[in-house]
Structures are given as C-alpha cells and as structure tokens.
Amino acid sequence: MSERYQKGLKQLQLMNEDSYELLKKNLDDIAPDLARFVAEFPYGEIYTRKNLDLKSREIATVAALTAMGTAPLQLKSHINGALNVGCSKEEIIEVIIQMAVYAGFPAAINGIMIAKEVFENKED
Amino acid sequence: MSERYQKGLKQLQLMNEDSYELLKKNLDDIAPDLARFVAEFPYGEIYTRKNLDLKSREIATVAALTAMGTAPLQLKSHINGALNVGCSKEEIIEVIIQMAVYAGFPAAINGIMIAKEVFENKED
Amino acid sequence: MSERYQKGLKQLQLMNEDSYELLKKNLDDIAPDLARFVAEFPYGEIYTRKNLDLKSREIATVAALTAMGTAPLQLKSHINGALNVGCSKEEIIEVIIQMAVYAGFPAAINGIMIAKEVFENKED
Amino acid sequence: MSERYQKGLKQLQLMNEDSYELLKKNLDDIAPDLARFVAEFPYGEIYTRKNLDLKSREIATVAALTAMGTAPLQLKSHINGALNVGCSKEEIIEVIIQMAVYAGFPAAINGIMIAKEVFENKED
Amino acid sequence: MSERYQKGLKQLQLMNEDSYELLKKNLDDIAPDLARFVAEFPYGEIYTRKNLDLKSREIATVAALTAMGTAPLQLKSHINGALNVGCSKEEIIEVIIQMAVYAGFPAAINGIMIAKEVFENKED
Amino acid sequence: MSERYQKGLKQLQLMNEDSYELLKKNLDDIAPDLARFVAEFPYGEIYTRKNLDLKSREIATVAALTAMGTAPLQLKSHINGALNVGCSKEEIIEVIIQMAVYAGFPAAINGIMIAKEVFENKED
C-alpha cells in the first residue's frame, strides 16, 4: 500500500468513509485499481492540498457536480461529504440554487432533489 | 428601474462592476433585457441571499464554469469576481485544479490558462 | 406575493400547472425560494415575453432539453407543456428526432422514449 | 450522386447554401464523405420531413446549439439559416434569451453575441 | 427497404442485433423512422466504412459514451457490441477507466458500473 | 522526483513529449503541480497500464475529446499523440467522423477541422 493510498484513506475518514467503502466494494471484482486511484489521487493528492479549506473544496465539488448534471450518485456522496466537513444544510442548498444561474434551472432543481434525499437519510 | 435591478447593480459594484458594464454595452443594441435579467436575477436575487458568504459563492461559480468548459469569458469574469470578494489567487488555483477530478484534466488545464490570463492582466 | 410571481402563476395555468404544483410541493420544505424563482423568472419574465409565440417557445425548450440529455424530468414536463400550448404529438416527435443531428442519436432516442411515456400517460 | 444527396442539396438551397459550400470546401481534402453525410442526412432526410415547418425546425436547432454551447460556428450558420427560412431577428433573440432558463446565463449571453455577429454581417 | 437499410441490418447482425430489435420495438409505434435511421446511418453508413476495424470503432464509441455520461442505455448496448466484435472485458474496462482522465472520475465510475451490469448479464 | 513521475515522463517521450513540454512551460509559474499530476496520473498510471495497446488508448481519447467538444487544444495534442503511436490519418478521421452518430454532426465537423490543422502542421 503506497504512502499516497494511506494518506487518501486517512483523508476519506475525515470526509466520507462510508461512500468510499461502498465504492470499493462495488469496484472490487471489476476494476479495483479505479477504487485505488480514487483514494490516491482525489483524496491522497487533491483534498489534502494546502491553500483551500475542506469546506470550500466540498462547495466547489457540489457546485460542479450540480452544474454537470451527469453524476447524481457522486453528488449525493459529496453532499454527505460537505455535511461531514462542516457545511450546513443551508449552505449546501444555496450552492445548488446558485447553479440555476450557470447551468440552468433543471440542474438546480435536480440537485436540490438529491440534497433532499441525503438530508432525509441523515435524519433517520 | 425595479428594486431588484437597483439591488443587483449595487451588488455588482461589490463584485465585478467592469464586467457588467462591458456586458451591458455589448447587449445594449441587441438584447438589453438580457443584461437587465443578469443584474436582476443572479445579482439582485442570488448573490444577495443569506446563508452563504460571497467568497464561497464565487468559489462555487468558478468551480462550475471550469467544469462545464463552455463559458471561458464568464469564467474569466468570475475569477476576477472571486479576487474582488477576497479569494486569493492560490485559492482560485486550488478550486480549478480540483476540477481535474470531476470534469477531467483538460477542463482543469483550460481553467488554469484562463486564470493565468486574468492574473497577468491584474498585474499590469 | 410579487407581481411577477402572480404573472408567472397565471402563465403556468396556460402551460403546465400540474408540473409546477408538483415541483412546488417537492421544494416546499427544502428550497421554497427556488420554486418561487421558477414561477417568477421563466414563467413571469420569459414565457410572457412578446416576439415569439408559446408553441415556438416550447419547441425551443423541448429541443434544448433533448439535446442536453441531463434533465429527463423537465423534458417530460415540457413535452406536456408543448401539448398544452398546441403542439401536436407529431411536431414534438419531429423536434426530438431532429436532435439526432445536433446532439447524437442517443439523445434523440432517449428523448423519444420520454415522449412515449408522456403520450401514454395522456391516453389513460 | 444519390437521390438523397440531390434532395439534400436542393434543401440546402432553401436554407443555407453558402454555409454548406464553405463546409464542403473545408472538408474536401480531408473528409469529403462527412460533407456528403451532412447533405444526405440532416438536409436530405431530416429537414425535408413533414409534420414540422422549417421555421420551427430552425428554432429547435438554434435553441439546442445555444444550450449546448460547444458549436459556435454551427450556431452562427443556423442563425443565418433561421433568417433564411423566415424567422425574424426578434424571434431568434427570444429563443436564445430563453436558453438562460435551461442552460444558464452564460450559454444565452454567448449565443446572443454570436447572433449579433451574424446580424451585423447581414447588414454589410 | 433501401440498400443502406439492408446493409445496416446485416451489420447489426455482426454487432448487436438484440439491442436493435429492442430499439425497433420500442420506437415502432411512435417514431419508426428513427429506428430506420439508426440502421441506415450509423450501421449502414458508418460502421461499414473502411479504414478502421470494428474493434477500434466500438472502443471509440464506448469511450465517447462513457465520457458524455448522458446515455447509459446506449453505453450498455455498446459494451455488449464491443464484446460481440472481439473486445475483451479487460480492454473495455481499460477504456472506461481511462475516461477518468478526460471526463472525470464520476464518468469513469458510472461507466464501470454499467460494464459490471453487462458482464453479469452475459454470465447468466 | 517520484517513480511515477519518471515513469510518466518516459511514457510521454513515446507519446507526445512536445505537447507536455509546452504544457509544463505554460503551467510553470501558476500551477506546476497540475503539470506534475498530468505526468504522474494519465501518463505514469493510465497510459502505462496493460490490457490495452497505446493505439487503442489514443483512439479512445480522440473519440472522447471529439464528442465532448470542450477541449480543442487537448484534442489537437492527442491527434498528434495518436499519429505518434501508430494511428494513420485515415484511422483518426474515421474515429472523428463516427462521433457524428453519438455527439452530433457539429462535434464531428469541429473535430475534423482540428485534425486538418494538425495534419497540415505535420507536413510543414
């Protein structure tokens, strides 16, 4: 296990360990290296970088995934991640609403429906 | 001039008055209502909302526009806006680099080249 | 309730009141302002504008949502809207097929499958 | 020369012969079959279909290309095509502004700037 | 039945007859011409062209559909097609993983999950 | 210099050293880590993997970048890369034309125009 991989797994503990465990399990029999790359590159290299706090990093990711509209599962996972690093529900909702301006109302509405699902699961 | 329009223009003074003046001038003879909508909706309604600070809002916008890759002029304008509301160059660079994870390396590289152009213009 | 909001709700009665009621209900506990923005901006400001008839406006929206391929629920809702403002099923099908040229065959095929679902629900 | 190709060339005379001649010339030494496919499929097969008038077809295309934001040259060509089949400048502007709702303000603004260029060239 | 249509159906026998039969059935009562176009243009005109072998053609299609992220059903169908023309599961997995670089990790992960589903169905 | 970085630089010598040197120079004063990531991850980790030959890998990349339509500079660089690893001009043209089916004719036409530019530069 490389140093970056260990660093990534440690970072994932702070951010969203459950999502990663599920991903790893899903990829295990078909593309285990892709799961390793996720730990090593985004988490081991990017989210551990200086110069930007984790809250801002998750805001950036939630914004991008909402705007792109092609990755609902990953948006779900990063809304969870945003909550885990200290974003409030209100802040997440604001980020998603704002995307109506840059990616259109459907992107914002679909993002909010995903946030709703995440928030409801948290309450259970 | 509606209240929202005035509110938007005031908000634009904080964020990126020059970009808006240029946009307004460009749209003046063909679609002046679109310029008005930009003042009224994104600036009069969205950027003035509570629950999320302006720095975070510009981080979200820079992230989304980098990831989408279809709006280089608007990305340029919002990198400027991000600087105007207190983001450091280093923070903006981090947001853009992070997009490699969600939208691919070309999106991140193209975003950085746009940031480079903005930063160089600021120095002149 | 602002004048624009009232104007938007009235416009929605012409176009697709049921979809909006459902949206409003879905957003009510999480982002009610986003539902209000939908009434105020697209319906209160855009669809009420002059210079383009409503049929042409819904054709434009169905085309764009088919081509983008990221908003199946909104495409469904606007296929309904197109029928409500006087587009025939045949016209809607033509718009969607034409998108094969600009956004690829998968976009057109996925759009047609959504139209099929809408048309079948209408018949019940 | 196939029947469809001839049908396509005839349709292009109605819609936008100059754009096609330029395309054909550009593709001639590298991918002449792609130019032939453009005449045969979009023009020979799609734009000649019944059940939707040409004005509505160009409205659909302008809407989709504005929303996608990845094909500025083709948008330019179809704004010209829209004018050629009887759309007014005002109608084209309305279609493009409306895309702010579905694809975001940057897409609409970039679309309007392209329309402006087309309209100015027409005036010369 | 045109020559191209027959040529397309024959090509589909080599590549993915079952997917096409299903598509044809789904489109039969709503847009049968779109099904015909699929046989005629992609299969009758493109996949039968010289200068690139079918394996490479399916690699290109799997790559593009993974990167776009808007056509999961068509990606599924073309992963099947890739297997039918001689790509190994390992090759398909490599193509999809590689898309993490150009379209982001979510696109690659979502592509792999679709491949997993296709491979599991094959085993039944 | 990490082992992966060295491995990536070596891989880049096979594939497209000039493009990388230019990228590195462009990013040097603003985001040198992004240039390092490009060497380490796409080239050090992905293009060096087994189970898929380099020609097929460049076909996949050219297909994806053509279909996405948001990264013309990177498409240019990978058309060069494809030539460097043994793809013929004819094969590259076929890949790009094929994208008309999945991402629309504008994407294919724009891709061909970029290929034309690359091929003409090679001849000088």
Side-chain angles (χ1 to χ4, degrees), chain F residues 37-56:
Chain F
F37 291 148
V38 169
E40 285 181 353
F41 183 63
Y43 293 92
E45 299 260 35
I46 299 293
Y47 283 113
T48 51
R49 287 171 66 81
K50 291 180 190 164
N51 289 332
L52 189 67
D53 60 288
L54 272 183
K55 262 190 65 172
S56 297

Side-chain angles (χ1 to χ4, degrees), chain F:
Chain F
M1 199 186 275
S2 75
E3 197 188 336
R4 279 179 320 128
Y5 191 36
Q6 286 179 301
K7 208 172 150 191
L9 292 180
K10 207 172 145 190
Q11 187 67 15
L12 274 155
Q13 289 178 339
L14 287 178
M15 294 178 70
N16 207 345
E17 204 173 12
D18 293 352
S19 279
Y20 184 69
E21 285 308 311
L22 182 61
L23 176 71
K24 203 164 167 304
K25 201 180 139 197
N26 281 331
L27 295 178
D28 201 41
D29 58 345
I30 183 166
D33 287 355
L34 184 54
R36 178 170 57 81
F37 291 148
V38 169
E40 285 181 353
F41 183 63
Y43 293 92
E45 299 260 35
I46 299 293
Y47 283 113
T48 51
R49 287 171 66 81
K50 291 180 190 164
N51 289 332
L52 189 67
D53 60 288
L54 272 183
K55 262 190 65 172
S56 297
R57 288 192 180 277
E58 283 290 14
I59 283 169
T61 299
V62 168
L65 294 177
T66 300
M68 293 170 75
T70 49
L73 294 179
Q74 287 80 13
L75 177 54
K76 206 169 159 177
S77 158
H78 279 283
I79 290 170
N80 250 312
L83 292 170
N84 293 343
V85 300
C87 291
S88 68
K89 289 180 188 180
E90 288 72 20
E91 287 172 318
I92 293 167
I93 290 166
E94 286 305 313
V95 170
I96 297 175
I97 289 177
Q98 187 173 315
M99 291 304 108
V101 177
Y102 300 101
F105 280 86
I109 291 166
N110 294 337
I112 287 290
M113 295 316 293
I114 290 170
K116 187 173 176 169
E117 206 186 322
V118 175
F119 296 167
E120 284 169 356
N121 286 344
K122 283 271 170 184
E123 277 158 24
D124 293 344

Side-chain angles (χ1 to χ4, degrees), chain B residues 53-114:
Chain B
D53 61 286
L54 272 183
K55 263 189 64 172
S56 297
R57 287 193 181 275
E58 282 291 13
I59 283 169
T61 299
V62 168
L65 294 177
T66 301
M68 293 169 75
T70 48
L73 294 178
Q74 288 78 13
L75 178 54
K76 207 170 160 179
S77 159
H78 280 281
I79 290 170
N80 250 312
L83 293 169
N84 292 343
V85 301
C87 290
S88 68
K89 289 180 188 180
E90 288 72 20
E91 286 172 319
I92 292 166
I93 290 166
E94 287 305 313
V95 169
I96 297 174
I97 289 177
Q98 186 173 315
M99 291 305 107
V101 176
Y102 300 101
F105 280 84
I109 291 166
N110 293 337
I112 287 291
M113 295 317 293
I114 289 170

